[in-house]
Amino acid sequence: MSTKKPYLSVIATLILSGVAGAVAAGEVPASFDASKCKVEYPKASLMNEEQGTTSMSFLVNADGSVADSKLEKSSGFKNLDKAAIKGISACKFKPGTKDGAPAQTWTKIDYAWKLD
């Protein structure tokens, strides 16, 4: 086992689409600035060199807070999935809109865990 610390690169991608794949007319999903959102790589996952992409959906309130979350597709590792949901749920979102006004909306996010 190598003694040098692995550098990690984590990429968050916001997919602009509704949960069911159809966005209602005049609806824009919530978004967030991934560079301002801290998600910690679980220590056990680092040690085991686990990587993958966690696909999730978040229900974001009109004030930008997260009301609910769902795991859509696992990265293949429970620790990574839990960390992604926990970290993204704590982020401040730019609320989605319905007919131009801030509103509660679902948004999908893929969070890629990658060790460099």
Side-chain angles (χ1 to χ4, degrees), residues 36-57:
K36 295 181 180 179
C37 190
K38 179 122 172 110
V39 178
E40 294 209 21
Y41 220 111
K43 288 179 185 177
S45 296
L46 277 171
M47 289 174 38
N48 293 322
E49 298 181 358
E50 297 171 350
Q51 301 182 82
T53 300
T54 303
S55 298
M56 307 154 286
S57 292

Side-chain angles (χ1 to χ4, degrees), residues 91-110:
C91 295
K92 181 69 173 175
F93 281 75
K94 177 182 175 191
T97 60
K98 289 183 184 173
D99 299 322
Q104 189 179 62
T105 59
W106 281 98
T107 191
K108 287 188 177 185
I109 297 173
D110 288 342

Side-chain angles (χ1 to χ4, degrees), residues 58-102:
F58 294 90
L59 180 60
V60 179
N61 291 319
D63 67 358
S65 63
V66 173
D68 195 11
S69 62
K70 294 184 214 175
L71 178 65
E72 298 289 336
K73 184 178 177 191
S74 174
S75 64
F77 302 98
K78 286 183 182 182
N79 284 341
L80 293 181
D81 297 339
K82 287 179 186 178
I85 288 174
K86 179 181 177 184
I88 301 293
S89 290
C91 295
K92 181 69 173 175
F93 281 75
K94 177 182 175 191
T97 60
K98 289 183 184 173
D99 299 322

Side-chain angles (χ1 to χ4, degrees), residues 6-28:
Y7 288 95
L8 61 109
S9 162
V10 181
I11 304 162
T13 306
L14 181 64
I15 299 173
L16 299 176
S17 65
V19 171
V23 175
E27 183 176 318
V28 177

